[in-house]
Amino acid sequence: MKKTLAILSVLLLSGCSSQDIVTMQDESPQVNDLRDLDYDGVIKAREKCEETLHGAAVDNDGCPKDKTVKQSFRLNVTFPNDSSELRPSNYAKLEQLADFLNDQTDANVTIEGHASKVGSPDYNLALSQRRADAVAKALVNDFGIDASRVEAIGYGDTVPLIDEDSEYAHDVNRRVMATLSGSYSTTDMRWTIFTAN
């Protein structure tokens, strides 16, 4: 048995020695540019989007991926008793809302008018509608927001922030709220150890 194994080993080794030995070249010519000039993880030879935003998530061509982000803006404008006149101090808040609407061109806003429980429910409903209309009119006329993007609804005294009979509660409940939600596309960023979400 040992003799047979020895003969087989000699035959195998002799069979290998008859083949020519091929040596590799010292250098291989570089056909493609393998550098990653914008540090997005895609080599220059495959890059279709130059100068990608640093940290952006990219596809196989080095182009940044987009994602849809939802943002909301909250407005709280208060009014004196039995009034639908906007105070000059409220225009700074309206300007912020208008800027947001100008940035988010696909977004619409609903203006919600409210009243305190002083007075009759029917009167408060009409008053709250006048308050909502005043804010909507200011957005359209003073800040150039398209009227088709602004809706005004009066809720009267049916949705109080504070449901009690005190002067403080009445002051807080005489208000206009505007809740706006808009979506926009932005570059999706890669996850890092510093990413919050």
Side-chain angles (χ1 to χ4, degrees):
M1 177 78 172
K2 288 184 181 179
K3 196 174 197 181
T4 307
L5 284 175
I7 292 172
L8 274 174
S9 299
V10 170
L11 286 175
L12 285 173
L13 289 174
S14 65
C16 291
S17 64
S18 65
Q19 293 181 354
D20 293 335
I21 296 175
V22 178
T23 58
M24 297 292 291
Q25 297 177 15
D26 290 340
E27 292 181 13
S28 297
Q30 187 63 48
V31 178
N32 295 315
D33 190 348
L34 301 180
R35 296 177 297 165
D36 181 10
L37 301 177
D38 57 0
Y39 303 103
D40 62 0
V42 177
I43 61 172
K44 175 77 174 153
R46 290 183 33 208
E47 186 75 61
K48 290 187 180 173
C49 295
E50 303 289 333
E51 299 179 12
T52 305
L53 180 66
H54 183 69
V58 296
D59 60 17
N60 288 337
D61 297 322
C63 297
K65 297 177 183 177
D66 284 343
K67 67 176 178 180
T68 300
V69 175
K70 289 189 176 181
Q71 254 187 341
S72 63
F73 184 96
R74 211 144 162 85
L75 172 76
N76 186 12
V77 174
T78 57
F79 291 84
N81 185 35
D82 197 23
S83 172
S84 59
E85 294 292 320
L86 281 172
R87 298 172 178 166
S89 61
N90 289 328
Y91 277 83
K93 296 175 186 176
L94 291 179
E95 185 175 13
Q96 289 175 345
L97 176 57
D99 289 344
F100 186 89
L101 286 165
N102 286 326
D103 287 342
Q104 314 305 326
T105 55
D106 293 335
N108 296 323
V109 64
T110 301
I111 307 295
E112 303 170 1
H114 300 275
S116 65
K117 292 196 175 194
V118 176
S120 73
D122 289 340
Y123 183 82
N124 287 338
L125 183 62
L127 177 60
S128 68
Q129 185 64 52
R130 288 196 305 273
R131 288 173 175 167
D133 289 340
V135 171
K137 183 179 175 184
L139 284 172
V140 172
N141 294 340
D142 299 335
F143 296 101
I145 303 301
D146 191 288
S148 66
R149 298 176 62 199
V150 182
E151 180 182 17
I153 300 173
Y155 289 94
D157 56 17
T158 60
V159 191
L161 286 178
I162 301 174
D163 194 9
E164 61 184 50
D165 188 16
S166 69
E167 196 53 44
Y168 174 72
H170 297 321
D171 284 343
V172 169
N173 291 330
R174 296 176 190 123
R175 71 200 189 281
V176 165
M177 306 291 287
T179 304
L180 171 147
S181 292
S183 297
Y184 65 97
S185 288
T186 187
T187 301
D188 190 16
M189 302 303 281
R190 282 182 290 195
W191 186 92
T192 68
I193 61 168
F194 303 107
T195 303
N197 295 335

